[in-house]
Amino acid sequence: MHDQPRRESSKLILVPILAVLFVMIGYQYICPAGSNSYQDLEDDSPPKQPSKFNFTERDLDRHVEFNIKGDDVIVFLHIQKTGGTTFGRHLVRNIRLEQPCDCKPGQKKCTCHRPGKEESWLFSRFSTGWSCGLHADWTELTNCVPVIMDKDKEAQRNIRNFYYITMLRDPVSRYLSEWKHVQRGATWKTALHMCDGRSPTQDELPTCYNGDDWSGVTLTEFMNCPSNLANNRQVRMLADLSLVGCYNLSSMNESQRNHILLSSAMSNLKNMAFYGLTEFQRKTQYLFERTFSLRFIAAFTQINSTRAANVDLSEPVRRRIEELNYLDVQLYEYAKDLFLQRFQFTRQREHQEVRLKRREERRWLREQKEQGRPWPPKHKGGGNGGGRRGGGLEKGSERDFPTTTEDYTSQVARW
């Protein structure tokens, strides 16, 4: 006789406990742990400071409807010594795709075809090669890529979206890294530097060295060459050079030229589909995934022990490098501010969506209880709750992506 009320009381206690567990499990599906959970994203965030720039919501909200099965193309603008080699490898080897890129051992390029088509969805060093010239800049790519991609008449009838992306790096670190690279024998002398239909003349772009390369160059020698393309490289490669007469320095005064170059680089960067920062690898991964609705297999790795970091700089030398790259310094300040604001904007919106899903879960649980339906619900076939309302995730959502399945550190280049 007394056992019946005790059992009823136990059931009343059990229902809310099970409800809480159900919501917790649902939350784990929405925000799973692993390489794509981003629970450590705040670790590398600098202290929050008032922004100098007035960005609109349109500037911060970066999401594109990238149609990999259609005609859309991602174009990677690879600026030297910004971690672009590592990021380029992520693009061809580390994205979870219906039809992954085919990367054969011993070959530098991978085949990145659309599902069911013999056409590349990615224009980059490791997919199409240097088709528009070695380390082609914004001026070259925007004039060359549409021509290369639409060679056949069938492609010309289609309207394409070209989504430009790039990587930027702290100007002093990038400059030192380029110096060390040139010191080891790199030249990039086969770069075309095409602008307004031609390459610059020797008078417009004198070389900094005699012979085959600049091996063994000291930092002082590197800084003392006025035509060194390492100076303000990021601004020059992101600006529309046709606005300033290309490489003809006599077309306008230096102050006017620099103002136009910086404004153009800032505008082009802001309007790109995506850009990342070398110093924020995890945030770069996060924003790329949210921008294109693509997921990487393995988490990006932050490596700070670079060759540039190992250079012992005096304060006067550091100031000299900043002076030589004062346009890049301004661009990077702008880019970093916009990048971190985009991250915060996207993160907050994602948190709001999670809270909304949890609210819907709780409302559904209340409805089930009020209607006297059995809980937890029984499902046919023992699946993952197919047919469940509220909080259920579609196939292809983050729940379907595995955690890190490989050690990707071996793919990371030392910048």
Side-chain angles (χ1 to χ4, degrees):
M1 292 289 290
H2 297 291
D3 289 342
Q4 185 68 22
R6 190 177 294 116
R7 284 197 296 270
E8 293 294 332
S9 175
S10 299
K11 287 181 179 179
L12 290 174
I13 294 172
L14 184 61
V15 168
I17 292 174
L18 291 173
V20 170
L21 289 172
F22 182 71
V23 171
M24 289 176 66
I25 292 170
Y27 181 73
Q28 288 299 314
Y29 279 145
I30 297 168
C31 295
S35 65
N36 289 318
S37 65
Y38 301 102
Q39 295 170 358
D40 60 342
L41 272 173
E42 306 300 335
D43 295 347
D44 60 353
S45 297
K48 290 184 179 179
Q49 296 177 345
S51 174
K52 293 182 180 180
F53 309 98
N54 296 318
F55 296 118
T56 65
E57 183 174 327
R58 184 178 179 182
D59 297 332
L60 303 181
D61 187 4
R62 307 309 284 175
H63 178 77
V64 299
E65 298 295 334
F66 177 62
N67 185 5
I68 195 171
K69 294 183 178 180
D71 298 293
D72 294 351
V73 180
I74 292 177
V75 183
F76 180 34
L77 193 166
H78 184 172
I79 301 172
Q80 288 95 317
K81 313 316 294 178
T82 58
T85 297
T86 295
F87 185 75
R89 286 181 181 142
H90 280 305
L91 293 176
V92 298
R93 295 177 181 272
N94 194 27
I95 297 181
R96 179 164 294 281
L97 297 169
E98 177 184 331
Q99 182 174 320
C101 296
D102 183 14
C103 301
K104 292 182 170 58
Q107 293 186 5
K108 292 183 178 180
K109 292 193 295 183
C110 303
T111 302
C112 297
H113 284 164
R114 309 178 191 279
K117 292 184 179 180
E118 296 293 314
E119 181 188 67
S120 181
W121 57 268
L122 175 65
F123 193 98
S124 74
R125 167 189 178 183
F126 291 123
S127 56
T128 53
W130 301 115
S131 301
C132 290
L134 179 63
H135 284 286
D137 57 26
W138 190 92
T139 306
E140 293 174 293
L141 288 176
T142 53
N143 285 281
C144 168
V145 171
V147 176
I148 294 290
M149 296 300 295
D150 293 341
K151 278 184 175 178
D152 61 85
K153 294 181 180 180
E154 181 65 29
Q156 292 175 14
R157 289 198 291 268
N158 300 326
I159 299 176
R160 292 186 187 277
N161 294 312
F162 294 102
Y163 295 113
Y164 288 84
I165 64 174
T166 194
M167 290 289 293
L168 294 183
R169 187 179 183 184
D170 168 75
V172 174
S173 297
R174 198 214 65 78
Y175 188 84
L176 290 171
S177 183
E178 179 162 343
W179 163 57
K180 297 296 287 185
H181 200 54
V182 170
Q183 192 181 55
R184 298 192 303 273
T187 62
W188 301 299
K189 58 186 176 183
T190 58
L192 301 175
H193 304 299
M194 290 290 290
C195 180
D196 285 352
R198 68 176 181 87
S199 294
T201 65
Q202 178 66 25
D203 290 337
E204 290 173 334
L205 189 60
T207 55
C208 289
Y209 56 89
N210 296 316
D212 294 334
D213 56 44
W214 211 2
S215 297
V217 60
T218 65
L219 182 55
T220 301
E221 292 170 337
F222 194 74
M223 293 188 294
N224 285 344
C225 177
S227 61
N228 191 345
L229 290 177
N231 301 341
N232 295 311
R233 180 181 287 282
Q234 295 179 104
V235 164
R236 192 186 65 259
M237 291 188 67
L238 289 173
D240 182 355
L241 298 182
S242 63
L243 298 175
V244 294
C246 301
Y247 293 88
N248 181 8
L249 302 183
S250 63
S251 61
M252 62 184 68
N253 65 59
E254 185 180 3
S255 176
Q256 183 183 8
R257 177 184 177 87
N258 288 339
H259 175 72
I260 293 173
L261 284 174
L262 181 58
S263 298
S264 177
M266 286 179 171
S267 177
N268 290 338
L269 184 71
K270 183 181 69 174
N271 293 323
M272 279 185 168
F274 164 85
Y275 69 88
L277 298 182
T278 310
E279 290 75 18
F280 300 96
Q281 291 291 313
R282 293 286 280 143
K283 286 181 173 64
T284 293
Q285 176 182 356
Y286 175 87
L287 284 177
F288 180 92
E289 292 184 339
R290 270 59 185 178
T291 300
F292 290 102
S293 298
L294 296 170
R295 289 293 184 269
F296 291 101
I297 300 167
F300 283 22
T301 305
Q302 187 72 50
I303 295 183
N304 295 318
S305 59
T306 61
R307 291 187 176 92
N310 294 329
V311 177
D312 188 16
L313 277 187
S314 66
E315 194 55 35
V317 172
R318 174 176 290 277
R319 285 198 300 270
R320 175 81 194 286
I321 294 174
E322 289 174 347
E323 290 168 2
L324 289 169
N325 293 275
Y326 79 103
L327 295 179
D328 271 12
V329 169
Q330 294 176 75
L331 175 67
Y332 187 78
E333 181 185 21
Y334 174 89
K336 184 176 177 181
D337 193 315
L338 178 55
F339 177 86
L340 293 176
Q341 284 201 52
R342 282 180 176 173
F343 168 75
Q344 291 297 337
F345 178 87
T346 307
R347 191 82 162 146
Q348 288 172 6
R349 184 174 59 187
E350 194 166 62
H351 286 165
Q352 290 172 356
E353 292 171 353
V354 169
R355 285 195 293 270
L356 179 61
K357 287 180 181 292
R358 295 178 70 182
R359 194 178 303 127
E360 290 174 351
E361 286 278 9
R362 290 194 293 268
R363 184 179 64 187
W364 180 81
L365 287 170
R366 285 196 302 271
E367 290 176 358
Q368 299 302 301
K369 185 177 178 181
E370 290 169 359
Q371 294 172 11
R373 293 181 181 175
W375 196 98
K378 297 178 181 179
H379 301 296
K380 295 179 180 180
N384 292 322
R388 184 181 63 186
R389 274 182 14 191
L393 297 183
E394 299 294 329
K395 184 177 180 182
S397 67
E398 193 160 287
R399 189 180 75 187
D400 292 304
F401 294 99
T403 56
T404 301
T405 56
E406 59 177 297
D407 179 9
Y408 209 75
T409 307
S410 61
Q411 298 290 339
V412 179
R414 286 175 60 82
W415 307 310

